[in-house]
Amino acid sequence: MGRTLGRNQGEEAPINVIAVSSGKGGVGKTSVAVNLAVALAETGEAVLLFDADLGLANVDVALGLKPERDISAVLAGECTLAETIVAGPAGIRIVPASSGVARMASLSASEQAGLVSAFSELPGPLDTLLVDTGAGIDSAVLTFASACPEIIVVVCDEPTSLTDAYALIKVLSRDHGVKRFQLLANMVDNELQGRRLFDKLCGVADRYLDVHLGYLGHIPRDDYLRRAVRQQQAVMTAYPRAPSAQAFRRAAARVQKTLRATAVSGGIGFFLERLIEAEAEHG
C-alpha cells in the first residue's frame, strides 16, 4: 500500500502525498492546489486532488464542476470513495468535499481515519495525492496536514497572512512533530517580494522553532489568473502562457525536485498511519 507501478519505468515508485495549507483564508490556497495539480499532470504524472476543506468545498466550485456524490455520501455508506471521483482538467482526478454541511467541518478523528483509509482501495495509477486542507489551525486542518509527508504553506503579502502562517507552522511543529515545510508566496508583484516574504517568515521560525522551511517560489499577481477564477477554470488550461501559469510550472518542477531530494518512505501508507495515530490520540 502506498506504492504504484511507475508507468514509464516499469518498476515500483512511491506515491507523493502533499498537503496544501494556509494560516488564513483569502490567500488563494485552493487556486494554488488546483493549478499545481494541473502543472504536475502536464509532466505526465497521475494526480489525485482531495478537497479536504470539509464543510466548505472549494475545488469543485473553482472548476465549475457539479459532482453527483461527495464525501458526506461516503460517510453515510451510500457509495465508495472511488464513486465520488470526478474528472478535472489535464486528466487530474478530484475527490470533492461537501459544501455547506456543518457536520463535515467537525469530523471526529475516527471518521477522518475511516474516510481516508478508502484511498488505499482507489483504482488506477497514482503518482501524487494533493490534499487541499482548510485554512487555519482547527483540528481537521491539523490532522490532514500533519498526516502528509510534505506540506506547502501558501502565504501572501499581508501581515495577517504571515502571522497566521507562522501560527500554523508552530502548532504543527509543537503538537504534531512536523519539522519540514515548503513556502509558496502567492499574489506577489515579483520574485523579490516573494523572497522577502520567505526570508521574513524564515527569520522568525529560525529564532523560535525547530523547523526547516524551503522556498517553492512565487506566483505573481496576474489578470489572467483573476479572469480564470471568474470563469471557474484553471489558469493552466485557460491561459497556459500567462505569467501565473508559467510560475505554477516552475513551482511544480521544484516540488518534484524537492520530493526526489528529500523522499519520505510511506506515501499513502504514511498518510493513513498518521490519521490512525490521530484517532488513537484523540479517540
Side-chain angles (χ1 to χ4, degrees):
M1 183 173 64
R3 300 182 72 83
T4 185
L5 284 177
R7 292 166 301 147
N8 297 323
Q9 297 86 354
E11 59 186 16
E12 284 196 340
I15 296 173
N16 300 316
V17 182
I18 309 166
V20 181
S21 302
S22 64
K24 67 182 290 291
V27 301
K29 173 183 59 62
T30 293
S31 176
V32 166
V34 167
N35 284 287
L36 192 58
V38 174
L40 289 168
E42 281 187 352
T43 70
E45 289 196 13
V47 180
L48 182 67
L49 176 56
F50 173 30
D51 189 349
D53 192 350
L54 304 179
L56 190 62
N58 288 316
V59 171
D60 56 334
V61 176
L63 291 173
L65 303 173
K66 296 181 179 179
E68 296 180 2
R69 302 181 180 92
D70 57 38
I71 291 297
S72 61
V74 178
L75 288 178
E78 298 169 2
C79 66
T80 66
L81 189 64
E83 290 172 328
T84 71
I85 292 176
V86 293
I92 68 172
R93 294 182 294 163
I94 297 161
V95 177
S98 177
S99 182
V101 181
R103 193 180 78 81
M104 293 299 299
S106 57
L107 294 180
S108 69
S110 176
E111 287 173 316
Q112 292 171 25
L115 171 65
V116 184
S117 67
F119 277 100
S120 62
E121 301 172 1
L122 285 174
L126 180 60
D127 298 310
T128 296
L129 169 63
L130 278 178
V131 182
D132 181 25
T133 76
I137 55 173
D138 68 29
S139 61
V141 173
L142 296 174
T143 297
F144 281 115
S146 63
C148 297
E150 298 287 343
I151 302 175
I152 297 172
V153 179
V154 181
V155 298
C156 64
D157 194 11
E158 296 176 2
T160 53
S161 173
L162 282 176
T163 301
D164 292 345
Y166 175 79
L168 174 65
I169 291 168
K170 177 181 178 180
V171 173
L172 283 169
S173 170
R174 182 191 65 197
D175 299 344
H176 297 270
V178 180
K179 298 302 180 185
R180 189 171 70 246
F181 302 84
Q182 302 296 325
L183 195 76
L184 183 66
N186 194 31
M187 300 185 292
V188 296
D189 294 329
N190 49 50
E191 170 64 21
L192 179 60
Q193 187 181 20
R195 176 64 70 169
R196 283 175 175 167
L197 285 178
F198 171 72
D199 289 343
K200 196 176 295 185
L201 188 56
C202 205
V204 179
D206 284 348
R207 185 173 180 182
Y208 296 107
L209 304 177
D210 180 22
V211 298
H212 170 75
L213 299 186
Y215 184 55
L216 284 182
H218 78 289
I219 309 298
R221 298 183 197 277
D222 186 358
D223 287 338
Y224 287 106
L225 178 55
R226 287 192 285 268
R227 193 180 305 174
V229 169
R230 289 195 297 269
Q231 295 170 346
Q232 294 180 288
Q233 297 184 64
V235 72
M236 294 293 303
T237 51
Y239 305 103
R241 296 184 180 180
S244 56
Q246 297 175 37
F248 278 117
R249 291 189 185 94
R250 290 192 294 270
R254 290 190 183 103
V255 165
Q256 291 171 320
K257 182 178 180 180
T258 299
L259 288 172
R260 283 196 297 267
T262 59
V264 176
S265 62
I268 286 183
F270 177 91
F271 189 39
L272 299 177
E273 287 172 11
R274 291 294 294 263
L275 284 164
I276 291 169
E277 286 173 6
E279 174 189 359
E281 290 173 4
H282 301 101

